[in-house]
Amino acid sequence: MTEPFARKSTSMTIDRRAFIRLAGASAAGWSMLGASERVRIVASLVGLPLSDTLTRRAPEIANSRTSALIQGMYERGWVEGVNIRYEIRSSFGGPENRATAVKELLELNPDVILTSSTVETAAMMAATKTIPIIFATANDPVGNGFVESLTRPGGNVTGFTSSTPEMGGKWLELLREAAPQIERVGVLFNPKSTPRAGRFYLDSIQSEAAATGVTATPVPITEPSAIDEAIRAYAGAPAAGMIALVDPFLVINRLAIVDAAAKYRVPMIYPFHYFIDAGGLMSYGASLEIRSADYIDLILRGTKAGDLPVQSPRKYELLINRKVAETLGLKLPASLLARADEIRE
């Protein structure tokens, strides 16, 4: 499902012809790589735990992303253990763990650093202004001070965005299509880990709410123990639903969120398919394809990170779990189902 709403020129995607020119310009450097060339180090700082039974599928998400990166690099001539080495650390657990992970990676003197989200990118940028950094996904990279502009990042940082502020209004629009009886909506997020402490999306959500007569209320939480009560508050009358923002805290705790939404029968829309995998009602967001290998390859061949434009998502996907909808007593309109990229039963 391609993005069905008009977008402001807040981001751009490098076109294929321009990408080929960049790759060609860097290819000359590849000829210098031989059997005697030192092994390049790609450091990766991720926000999800690499092994944690309490969050169950979080390790699988992190490891699947790493596998996709390794495969993408292999297709570009980078063979693990031959001419490239991957060092991965998790910042999961709070600021102290994050600081330790950053320190460990920098001590390896990596050739390029891959960060998984906004929080990890900010931590790495504070620690180095010279080593190239690529964010695999980030929101508002200009507003966060990561890059000077999307087309000409400058400095040592570039990468990929996952959404725009207008997504907030789109989530509310889709949620109301699924549950038109909704009179109020709660917006769930952790202000410590979501873009601009939630404001990145809240403005468009509240604008859409005002235009449709719905009351939209921010629901900030900072601890997993607050999830159940936050969602319980939106059960019963008047009819209500909830929106989960782009937020690594919510991804890590998605099982508790989905379980509470089911227990209290609260229709909820999510930004990633991970929540649908856990039994959520519906999600709408960027297709989480792994594109980092494109830029890591170019940088290892000699291109400067600041010369590579920030890229926006190429595709947005709508996923719906019809069985969950039936459990909630929702009769989904045919027009909504027809636009879904995937309907799960």
Side-chain angles (χ1 to χ4, degrees), residues 104-311:
E104 289 181 1
L105 290 176
L106 291 181
E107 287 175 348
L108 297 171
N109 192 28
D111 295 276
V112 62
I113 299 169
L114 177 66
T115 56
S116 64
S117 70
T118 300
V119 174
E120 286 70 43
T121 303
M124 270 301 179
M125 284 192 66
T128 179
K129 302 298 182 185
T130 56
I131 300 174
I133 297 172
I134 300 172
F135 47 84
T137 177
N139 296 283
D140 194 22
V142 176
N144 281 309
F146 295 165
V147 297
E148 295 175 7
S149 73
L150 299 178
T151 54
R152 302 187 68 84
N156 63 317
V157 183
T158 189
F160 305 85
T161 62
S162 60
S163 61
T164 63
E166 294 86 356
M167 286 290 291
K170 188 62 185 177
W171 288 321
L172 179 53
E173 177 188 324
L174 289 167
L175 182 62
R176 290 188 66 252
E177 283 192 64
Q181 75 277 13
I182 286 177
E183 297 180 29
R184 57 194 179 105
V185 63
V187 184
L188 190 68
F189 63 95
N190 184 338
K192 296 180 180 179
S193 53
T194 200
R196 294 192 198 175
R199 290 267 37 120
F200 188 71
Y201 302 105
L202 280 169
D203 289 343
S204 65
I205 291 174
Q206 292 175 331
S207 176
E208 176 71 17
T212 55
V214 174
T215 301
T217 306
V219 184
I221 57 173
T222 58
E223 298 295 335
S225 58
I227 291 172
D228 190 86
E229 177 59 27
I231 295 176
R232 188 188 69 81
Y234 284 82
M242 296 193 79
I243 297 171
L245 297 189
V246 173
D247 184 342
F249 171 84
L250 299 188
V251 173
I252 291 169
N253 293 287
R254 66 196 177 284
L255 291 168
I257 293 169
V258 168
D259 289 348
K263 179 169 65 173
Y264 297 118
R265 298 178 59 80
V266 177
M268 197 164 184
I269 187 167
Y270 307 94
F272 303 122
H273 70 79
Y274 305 133
F275 294 89
I276 306 305
D277 297 341
L281 171 63
M282 61 194 301
S283 69
Y284 179 73
S287 172
L288 296 178
E289 54 185 333
I290 306 300
R291 301 159 65 190
S292 307
D294 291 341
Y295 274 9
I296 293 176
D297 175 52
L298 287 172
I299 288 172
L300 292 180
R301 297 187 187 212
T303 304
K304 294 180 179 179
D307 291 338
L308 295 169
V310 174
Q311 294 196 47

Side-chain angles (χ1 to χ4, degrees), residues 80-120:
E80 187 176 13
V82 176
N83 58 1
I84 197 167
R85 181 173 119 221
Y86 301 95
E87 292 285 349
I88 305 166
R89 301 290 187 276
S90 171
S91 67
F92 180 75
E96 290 185 4
N97 288 8
R98 188 177 306 121
T100 299
V102 168
K103 182 175 182 292
E104 289 181 1
L105 290 176
L106 291 181
E107 287 175 348
L108 297 171
N109 192 28
D111 295 276
V112 62
I113 299 169
L114 177 66
T115 56
S116 64
S117 70
T118 300
V119 174
E120 286 70 43

Side-chain angles (χ1 to χ4, degrees), residues 12-27:
M12 59 82 68
T13 302
I14 181 172
D15 62 44
R16 181 175 177 81
R17 189 171 300 173
F19 182 82
I20 291 173
R21 285 200 300 271
L22 281 169
S26 301

